[in-house]
Amino acid sequence: MEPILIIKSADFLGSAVKAAQYPGHELPELAFAGRSNVGKSSLINCLLQRKKLVRISRTPGRTQTINFFDINHAFCFVDLPGYGFARVPEATRASWRPMVEAYLTTRKQLRGVVQIIDLRHPPTAHDVSLWNWLKNRGIPAVAVLTKADKVKHGQWPEHARQAALVLGLSVDDCVLFSALTREGRDILWERLARLLDLGVSAPASP
Ligand code: GDP
């Protein structure tokens, strides 16, 4: 077995709304995308074993910046603004697409995107649209079905099958996840380590 990845440091680097504000490093980056309130902040905090590194939102749709986090001074997590929340102002909603597309199409060190979807419901039109856009661009993407703890275990296969079908994946390609129980954390880390080409396996669970 390869050495285990340990999270030694996780630091907020800054926010950006345009390319000039992206950090100047050349570290490989992984971006996280999902509908507002889907559980993206919770998932990132769970991966990093940090309770409050990424703020868990009380006002869905409020954060409209791209946020960069340095991990172990070896790679970078990029928290993309959430999409698809009905109650955000139209101007905010309209700015999402160019801001996010600019990052996804121009950032040279982007290694892949983690797209987070709610296991409880079929992927939304927004989810599918982003997923297909990533696929058409050839950007590697991992589909994570989160809030698994809110679905009865016996119903997981059916929910996962439906999501996989809509996304054009096999069920085994989807990662079932729960920030509450940490279900899927190690499997997701394995996938991320592969995208980052770290040559290590998942971090040790405490
Ligand atoms: P974001 O807007 O996508 O960053 O979503 P948050 O991480 O802020 O989560 C939105 C809400 O869902 C919060 O109340 C979280 O506590 C809750 N939540 C997030 N992930 C999970 C999960 O895996 N299980 C459960 N039961 N609740 C979750």
Side-chain angles (χ1 to χ4, degrees):
M1 194 69 170
E2 299 292 332
I4 302 282
L5 177 69
I6 311 268
I7 307 299
K8 292 184 220 116
S9 67
D11 304 303
F12 176 59
L13 285 177
S15 299
V17 295
K18 54 184 180 187
Q21 298 165 334
Y22 300 164
H25 64 226
E26 294 188 2
L27 298 175
E29 294 183 347
L30 285 176
F32 293 76
R35 168 178 71 66
S36 295
N37 216 32
V38 74
K40 180 161 50 66
S41 313
S42 305
L43 178 143
I44 298 172
N45 288 332
C46 176
L47 283 175
L48 299 175
Q49 294 167 264
R50 301 293 191 277
K51 282 206 170 69
K52 290 184 191 155
L53 183 68
V54 186
R55 196 161 37 94
I56 297 185
S57 50
R58 294 209 178 276
T59 314
R62 187 178 47 181
T63 324
Q64 287 293 334
T65 54
I66 300 175
N67 298 320
F68 296 80
F69 300 89
D70 176 294
I71 318 300
N72 289 357
H73 309 302
F75 57 93
C76 186
F77 274 9
V78 181
D79 184 17
L80 299 174
Y83 53 79
F85 189 69
R87 271 188 278 154
V88 301
E90 182 54 38
T92 310
R93 229 177 312 158
S95 68
W96 183 90
R97 202 179 176 91
M99 184 183 4
V100 170
E101 285 191 4
Y103 170 80
L104 293 172
T105 53
T106 64
R107 193 64 164 162
K108 291 203 170 51
Q109 64 262 54
L110 177 67
R111 296 288 184 271
V113 175
V114 178
Q115 192 175 345
I116 304 152
I117 291 164
D118 193 326
L119 178 67
R120 292 173 297 175
H121 316 292
T124 66
H126 273 117
D127 292 334
V128 178
S129 157
L130 176 63
W131 181 261
N132 288 336
W133 186 89
L134 292 167
K135 214 161 48 173
N136 291 337
R137 295 262 164 178
I139 300 172
V142 179
V144 178
L145 309 177
T146 195
K147 300 195 181 177
D149 60 279
K150 292 204 171 192
V151 175
K152 283 202 187 99
H153 201 274
Q155 293 175 354
W156 285 9
E158 182 53 23
H159 283 243
R161 194 188 64 79
Q162 282 192 17
L165 192 70
V166 175
L167 300 174
L169 292 172
S170 82
V171 177
D172 293 342
D173 292 331
C174 301
V175 179
L176 272 78
F177 193 90
S178 163
L180 205 73
T181 67
R182 299 181 173 197
E183 171 78 33
R185 183 176 179 274
D186 291 352
I187 294 167
L188 181 54
W189 261 121
E190 298 281 359
R191 301 279 294 269
L192 302 188
R194 229 179 296 154
L195 283 174
L196 290 165
D197 205 12
L198 293 178
V200 294
S201 64
S205 290

